[in-house]
Amino acid sequence: MVSVSLPADHPTSVAFLDETGAIASDRVFAVGCLKVAEPADLLRPLQKLKDRKHRYEEIHWVDATRESMGFYEAVIDIVRAAPGVRFSCFVADRAVADPVARFGSPWRAYERLAAQLLIGSIQPNELVCVLADEYSTPDEVRFEQEVRDIVNHRLGRLAVTSGCRLDSRAAVPLQIVDLLTAAVAFEFRQALGLAGTSSP
């Protein structure tokens, strides 16, 4: 067995995945990926903002109201300013190209869309740990392993080291992905006449 040693400064990141919409029924479905080289660079300023504003509830797109808009704008400013942060999003309009029909099930479609986002986001030689929002699936669905295997096979190397699904209440970056992904999906829904026009 050959021993391989990586340098201490080898590029690594954590990728946070979330989805918006019901892939099995909604016309517009989106998957978002927030890749962070050093999560503390994002989390520390966010925590300071929450402490300053005394806002400790989850960050959710549905809670973006006229009253909370200043707080949400400050959250977005922090995300934009944090070094080593990259957001990408895959939006599917099921009336144009239905990923469920293409891949055979809602869970398989979500796996494939998530894997495609990661393939496009991971830099050469970078190692990534994937943390995804928890959602209910049948027992035979192995989202974490499937996404890891698809990405590593496609890139021809170890790129995704591991994956885990978490309750978004336990991870602020998952809440940020929810906010960004839902905002993108809302714009698509609005353009299709499927969303209201009164939301700030």
Side-chain angles (χ1 to χ4, degrees), residues 7-180:
D9 63 350
H10 189 87
T12 61
S13 290
V14 181
F16 299 90
L17 293 173
D18 194 15
E19 82 289 341
T20 186
I23 195 168
S25 58
D26 288 354
R27 175 174 171 179
V28 175
F29 178 80
V31 181
C33 175
L34 184 72
K35 187 165 70 74
V36 185
E38 184 52 68
D41 290 341
L42 175 64
L43 292 173
R44 285 183 184 139
L46 283 170
Q47 188 59 51
K48 286 181 181 178
L49 173 67
K50 293 178 103 175
D51 289 342
R52 197 165 60 247
K53 300 291 186 180
H54 302 288
R55 292 190 63 122
Y56 300 107
E57 63 274 9
E58 277 190 82
I59 297 169
H60 277 300
W61 168 255
V62 296
D63 296 326
T65 62
R66 294 192 196 288
E67 294 74 29
S68 66
M69 191 53 60
F71 174 75
Y72 280 88
E73 287 174 343
V75 168
I76 297 301
D77 288 342
I78 288 171
V79 174
R80 291 176 60 200
V85 172
R86 179 176 179 176
F87 174 72
S88 54
C89 187
F90 195 115
V91 180
D93 180 346
R94 296 182 65 226
V96 177
D98 186 353
V100 177
R102 179 177 178 191
F103 297 114
S105 74
W107 305 284
R108 184 72 65 195
Y110 180 31
E111 289 171 1
R112 296 294 175 152
L113 297 181
Q116 190 60 45
L117 272 180
L118 289 165
I119 290 165
S121 298
I122 296 172
Q123 299 300 306
N125 299 319
E126 185 178 38
L127 297 175
V128 175
C129 171
V130 176
L131 302 178
D133 193 21
E134 181 65 86
Y135 69 105
S136 297
T137 61
D139 290 345
E140 68 273 10
V141 173
R142 300 165 61 244
F143 175 84
E144 302 92 331
Q145 296 95 326
E146 289 294 332
V147 169
R148 181 196 63 209
D149 293 348
I150 292 167
V151 174
N152 290 346
H153 177 74
R154 176 80 174 273
L155 296 179
R157 66 176 180 87
L158 176 64
V160 173
T161 58
S162 56
C164 182
R165 290 191 292 181
L166 299 173
D167 187 323
S168 63
R169 290 173 294 184
V172 172
L174 288 176
Q175 299 169 29
I176 301 302
V177 182
D178 171 86
L179 178 68
L180 299 175

